[in-house]
Amino acid sequence: MIIDPITFFVVGACFVLFMVFSLIRVGLGPTTPDRVVGLDTMNTLVVATMIVLGAAFDEVVFIDVAIIYALLSFVGTLYVARYLEGGL
Amino acid sequence: MGGLIYVLFGISVVFNGLGVIALIRFPDVYTRLHGATKCTTFGSIFTALGIIAYGFARGGAAHETLAIHTIVALVALLVTNPTGSHAIARAAHRSGVKPKGAVVDRLEGRS
Amino acid sequence: MLAILVTAVVAFLFYLLLTLGSGSVGEWSATELITGAVLSLIAGLIAGRVVFSKKERSGKSHYRMLNPLRWLTFLVYLIGPFFFAMARANLDVAYRVITGRIRPGIVRLSPGLSTDLGITLLANSITLTPGTLSVDVDEGTGDLFVHWINVKDTEPTCEAVCGSFPKWARRIAE
């Protein structure tokens, strides 16, 4: 074992804590774009967490899901941005 | 090798935390985007680098596959993150959110 | 036709990368190779016309990015100046979060790039480097509107804001 496997869980727990903080921004607002920024930050953190957990459980599938999640959340962000511009 | 991985994870946690603090502390949507995009992208790059180093250091087919897939995830993140923030910034300006305390706004009046 | 073929080959290479180490034909199993070939052909048929659809304003060839030298330059750029600027950007954000000293504004830059890919590369680089965030683009002239967190000059030149990035973007994508 190169590093203590508990490290992965500690790093993942930190990221989950950061997600809760960005959830505060999603709740506070004050404008809709602010909330979207909070969600976008959460998406990046979810991808990072998935990668870390994939290494923790030795599951390559988690990382494949993270790739797809990154691409789909990007499409979601573009969709919301398009909606805010009024082009939908 | 173990020490290097700990350092990479440490950097990633510090910068992701900084991004979230910037998200909470800055005054308007554009400055929040600055903090959130730059810091979380940089932090996630270091998370991925840590996992890549771990995968290649552990060796074996399964762990190398893990490292290679993480490289693909890193590329996906690096391409999509700034583009998404660009889309949000443009949408914010078009939906009428003004930059707070702006010295100059050359985009004013265009749409 | 060439558009479909190029898209299919790129998709197939990507599939090979993701299934590396699955069997005994080289590094791949026969099933994976056949599935990948069929799927990437379908992807090429669907997406080829989309990937290479739009006419470039500058009239440059669509296939210029197939030159490996451009990708090598891109890799050097990514590891060298880009990564350094990104580290500096994060320390800059840390400084501004702690002191709260900001002077924001949106300025207009004329990088003088003509291709869509070059402008995209420059805009993404600007977003990840110190104190700047690209907000909008003038599609007629290729001018960028950039949110600058610490405005020193309301009519800046491109070099003052983004340093050597336009030069790199021209070398990689023009």
Side-chain angles (χ1 to χ4, degrees):
Chain A
M1 216 61 208
I2 301 164
I3 62 172
D4 197 340
I6 203 83
T7 317
F8 293 126
F9 293 102
V10 173
V11 173
C14 288
F15 288 167
V16 172
L17 190 71
F18 297 155
M19 276 181 233
V20 174
F21 281 131
S22 32
L23 208 55
I24 294 174
R25 177 49 70 198
V26 176
L28 282 180
T31 62
T32 317
D34 282 307
R35 295 174 210 268
V36 184
V37 176
L39 276 180
D40 198 42
T41 313
M42 273 177 75
N43 284 332
T44 313
L45 288 171
V46 166
V47 173
T49 315
M50 274 185 189
I51 293 173
V52 170
L53 289 185
F57 294 114
D58 266 339
E59 292 273 6
V60 181
V61 182
F62 282 25
I63 294 171
D64 294 343
V65 174
I67 297 167
I68 303 301
Y69 187 91
L71 297 176
L72 282 184
S73 72
F74 170 61
V75 174
T77 305
L78 288 188
Y79 221 17
V80 175
R82 197 62 192 265
Y83 167 71
L84 286 177
E85 280 180 17
L88 201 69
Chain B
M1 202 66 204
L4 174 72
I5 297 169
Y6 282 125
V7 169
L8 289 173
F9 280 157
I11 292 172
S12 84
V13 170
V14 166
F15 279 108
N16 271 327
L18 185 68
V20 174
I21 293 170
L23 184 69
I24 291 180
R25 238 185 81 91
F26 273 152
D28 74 333
V29 63
Y30 302 99
T31 42
R32 273 171 203 150
L33 265 175
H34 270 280
T37 309
K38 283 181 188 114
C39 295
T40 51
T41 311
F42 196 65
S44 304
I45 285 174
F46 273 96
T47 315
L49 286 181
I51 301 293
I52 291 166
Y54 167 78
F56 282 123
R58 271 294 287 281
H63 290 100
E64 276 166 16
T65 311
L66 193 97
I68 288 165
H69 285 219
T70 311
I71 293 172
V72 177
L74 175 61
V75 171
L77 213 59
L78 205 57
V79 171
T80 60
N81 231 340
T83 317
S85 86
H86 178 126
I88 298 172
R90 195 172 87 145
H93 205 281
R94 291 200 176 174
S95 68
V97 180
K98 297 274 170 283
K100 197 173 174 182
V103 187
V104 54
D105 190 351
R106 295 276 174 231
L107 200 53
E108 183 88 70
R110 295 170 50 99
S111 60
Chain C
M1 193 59 221
L2 189 59
I4 293 171
L5 202 69
V6 170
T7 314
V9 168
V10 171
F12 188 55
L13 289 178
F14 194 70
Y15 193 89
L16 290 185
L17 183 69
L18 281 178
T19 53
L20 196 68
S22 59
S24 53
V25 188
E27 285 281 324
W28 298 274
S29 68
T31 331
E32 291 282 15
L33 285 177
I34 293 164
T35 319
V38 171
L39 286 179
S40 50
L41 204 63
I42 294 171
L45 282 172
I46 295 171
R49 297 257 170 265
V50 181
V51 175
F52 295 104
S53 66
K54 212 172 147 198
K55 261 244 174 297
E56 284 279 7
R57 275 181 285 116
S58 54
K60 291 198 171 77
S61 162
H62 277 314
Y63 303 102
R64 64 182 188 285
M65 286 313 285
L66 295 181
N67 182 355
L69 201 64
R70 288 178 187 273
W71 288 95
L72 208 66
T73 320
F74 183 54
L75 210 64
V76 170
Y77 166 69
L78 216 57
I79 296 169
F82 179 71
F83 193 79
F84 181 70
M86 213 168 155
R88 220 152 43 88
N90 281 274
L91 297 177
D92 182 71
V93 169
Y95 168 76
R96 294 195 193 285
V97 166
I98 293 164
T99 60
R101 194 174 300 162
I102 54 175
R103 193 167 180 271
I106 294 178
V107 294
R108 184 181 185 135
L109 303 178
S110 313
L113 295 170
S114 58
T115 59
D116 290 345
L117 191 64
I119 292 169
T120 310
L121 184 66
L122 182 67
N124 279 6
S125 301
I126 282 177
T127 298
L128 291 176
T129 51
T132 47
L133 177 83
S134 44
V135 176
D136 207 343
V137 60
D138 185 332
E139 283 181 22
T141 57
D143 286 2
L144 287 168
F145 293 91
V146 171
H147 183 268
W148 199 5
I149 205 167
N150 187 23
V151 177
K152 296 176 194 130
D153 177 5
T154 54
E155 295 280 351
T157 59
C158 197
E159 279 69 35
V161 180
C162 41
S164 64
F165 290 144
K167 222 169 58 195
W168 281 98
R170 196 164 298 131
R171 214 173 293 162
I172 293 164
E174 296 271 291

